[in-house]
Amino acid sequence: MTEMLTRNDDGYEDEVRGFQTAYRHRPAVVVPARDAEDVRLGVVHAVERDLPVAVQATGHGLSVPAEGGVLVSTRRLTDVRVDPVNRTARVGAGVRAGALVAAAAAHGLAPLNGSSPSVGVVGYTLGGGVGLLGRRFGFASDHVRCVEIVTADGVLCTLAPDDELFGAVLGSGGNFGVVTALEVDLVEVPAVFGGQLVFAEPLIGPVLEAWREWTESLPEEVTSSVTLVPAPAGRIASVRVASLVHDERLVAPLRAVGERLRDTVRTMPYLETPSIHSDPDEPHAYRATNHLLGELTPEALDAVAGLGAVVDIRHLGGAMSRPGQAMVGHRAARYAVRVISGPDDREVHSSVARALAPWSMGHNLAFVYGGADTAGEAQTRAGYEPDLYERLATLKARHDPRNVFRCNRNITPARTAAEVG
């Protein structure tokens, strides 16, 4: 087994460092895993000592930092194997989206990745996976063939769709074990019609309303978002489009709003799709929340238009609204309103929660970024419908009754009748 690192050892700080710089894990022990067996032995080490287990690959979605316990670092598990005949790929837990996109593109295929090429494929998928083409293909987690995982009993096993834990693992963001690899579907999409339409601050109101009206009649082949970004010369509004409809007329209603600061919408190879969102690739500090809406009213837009933070509104629905194998919450949501700020700006998140309360049905836990001060059972429950949360809590009690995997947006194991009594 690879050597375990404690806080005074060389290499410890490198292992706990991640994309999120506002806070980080401070475990008692780090396991810099080089293979699935290292992961298994790390979990066994924790279970035998009644310690919690955290896991990190890239550190983008770090939700609740571990203080003490065991951190399993999976960033070295970077094997990617593409099967072009079956249109699948096997990806290790440390594989980043950009590496999978490149490997699939060599065969004219594409994964169901998100907006950032530096995000880990496994962590993104375990959180559901809202992808660039999500309205056409659904959540990435609905396109997983098998899961290689180390569970709370320290066993490395492979889960198939007919296994009890399969769907729970694919909607709960790491609550049921440490996933060491996934086999995922690929799709035949060599190119997309997409890019950004960027407008200056005076047009923000008209852009938001035009985008809202535009999304009401879009086919599922079009996935888009609109983002308000503070800038030195005034805020900008950026509409991001990823479409399987290759037609300039598609974006005519948006271009009709007025002059663009930048217009990059074009047909592009799938390899160039990271330019659609241009997500930052340098580690930085941030806090984020989100609200899922069944409808996007003009009043809801007004409530977020003046916020002094990054506001990202994503169009959901389409295939994401249909039932799937993953236990993803709130599939009925048609929009996700995300607010991203500096790590100390808590008030803006409280403000948006109050403003969107009349329309909010909950939130997507994969888009909640903040330290332990923001976490709790109520927050996790809001990521699911009540009956779905109870199903997950029952499975948690059955498969991880000691809550070994709790350094996350934690699903509390359901209490038995004896415990309640």
Side-chain angles (χ1 to χ4, degrees):
M1 178 183 173
T2 187
E3 181 183 4
M4 294 186 183
L5 303 175
T6 60
R7 293 182 181 182
N8 294 324
D9 290 332
D10 291 340
Y12 175 94
E13 294 297 334
D14 287 339
E15 294 301 324
V16 300
R17 186 177 296 115
F19 190 83
Q20 168 67 274
T21 63
Y23 49 93
R24 60 183 52 170
H25 292 301
R26 301 302 298 176
V29 175
V30 179
V31 179
R34 299 184 183 280
D35 54 30
E37 178 63 9
D38 282 348
V39 173
R40 189 189 73 80
L41 292 174
V43 172
V44 169
H45 176 88
V47 170
E48 289 177 345
R49 292 160 179 80
D50 198 23
L51 299 173
V53 174
V55 60
Q56 177 169 286
T58 68
H60 282 73
L62 174 60
S63 53
V64 178
E67 277 296 330
V70 175
L71 172 65
V72 178
S73 172
T74 60
R75 64 188 177 96
R76 294 174 179 80
L77 279 62
T78 56
D79 183 52
V80 180
R81 282 179 277 169
V82 173
D83 180 344
V85 175
N86 291 310
R87 296 182 183 175
T88 61
R90 185 186 187 280
V91 293
V95 174
R96 295 172 184 259
L100 178 56
V101 168
H107 303 279
L109 301 171
L112 301 178
N113 59 291
S115 59
S116 171
S118 63
V119 165
V121 173
V122 167
Y124 156 82
T125 305
L126 297 185
V130 177
L132 284 174
L133 298 171
R135 283 175 42 78
R136 169 60 181 85
F137 295 106
F139 291 100
S141 53
D142 286 334
H143 293 271
V144 174
R145 301 284 187 93
C146 69
V147 178
E148 184 180 276
I149 186 173
V150 179
T151 49
D153 53 6
V155 173
L156 175 65
C157 60
T158 299
L159 302 177
D162 58 351
D163 289 308
E164 179 180 67
L165 265 185
F166 188 78
V169 167
L170 295 173
S172 61
N175 265 277
F176 290 92
V178 182
V179 171
T180 56
L182 296 175
E183 182 180 333
V184 300
D185 288 332
L186 302 175
V187 294
E188 192 172 359
V189 179
V192 302
F193 180 71
Q196 293 188 31
L197 300 167
V198 183
F199 300 84
E201 185 164 16
L203 290 176
I204 284 178
V207 167
L208 289 175
E209 182 56 26
W211 181 80
R212 185 187 71 83
E213 293 181 356
W214 183 66
T215 59
E216 290 181 344
S217 59
L218 284 178
E220 293 183 0
E221 287 75 15
V222 184
T223 302
S224 68
S225 65
V226 60
T227 304
L228 307 182
V229 183
R235 292 187 307 159
I236 60 172
S238 174
V239 179
R240 290 89 182 271
V241 180
S243 171
L244 296 178
V245 177
H246 294 252
D247 190 336
E248 293 285 344
R249 291 172 295 180
L250 175 72
V251 294
L254 300 173
R255 285 175 169 153
V257 171
E259 182 181 358
R260 279 86 63 199
L261 298 175
R262 187 164 66 252
D263 185 340
T264 65
V265 177
R266 68 194 190 283
T267 292
M268 63 176 69
Y270 197 86
L271 271 172
E272 295 181 14
T273 54
S275 67
I276 293 175
H277 285 255
S278 299
D279 284 352
D281 57 7
E282 289 297 321
H284 61 282
Y286 48 93
R287 178 181 292 267
T289 189
N290 69 91
H291 293 269
L292 299 174
L293 310 181
E295 61 176 334
L296 186 62
T297 65
E299 293 79 11
L301 279 179
D302 288 342
V304 299
L307 294 175
V310 175
V311 178
D312 177 51
I313 309 174
R314 300 199 174 192
H315 188 203
L316 307 178
M320 287 184 281
S321 66
R322 295 193 279 272
Q325 64 184 10
M327 292 189 183
V328 175
H330 303 303
R331 288 176 181 262
R334 293 185 58 212
Y335 297 89
V337 179
R338 304 173 62 211
V339 178
I340 306 167
S341 71
D344 298 322
D345 192 354
R346 292 172 174 81
E347 178 54 34
V348 69
H349 301 289
S350 299
S351 297
V352 75
R354 292 190 297 269
L356 293 179
W359 305 281
S360 178
M361 64 172 60
H363 50 243
N364 184 318
L365 293 172
F367 290 151
V368 177
Y369 309 128
D373 62 308
T374 69
E377 184 177 7
Q379 182 193 70
T380 305
R381 281 181 175 272
Y384 305 93
E385 294 84 352
D387 60 338
L388 180 54
Y389 182 85
E390 294 306 325
R391 286 174 60 196
L392 287 165
T394 298
L395 289 170
K396 182 78 169 179
R398 188 178 303 155
H399 294 276
D400 184 14
R402 294 160 64 188
N403 208 5
V404 173
F405 304 108
R406 60 182 181 270
C407 300
N408 46 42
R409 304 291 167 185
N410 191 235
I411 296 168
T412 305
R415 298 172 66 191
T416 65
E419 290 173 324
V420 173

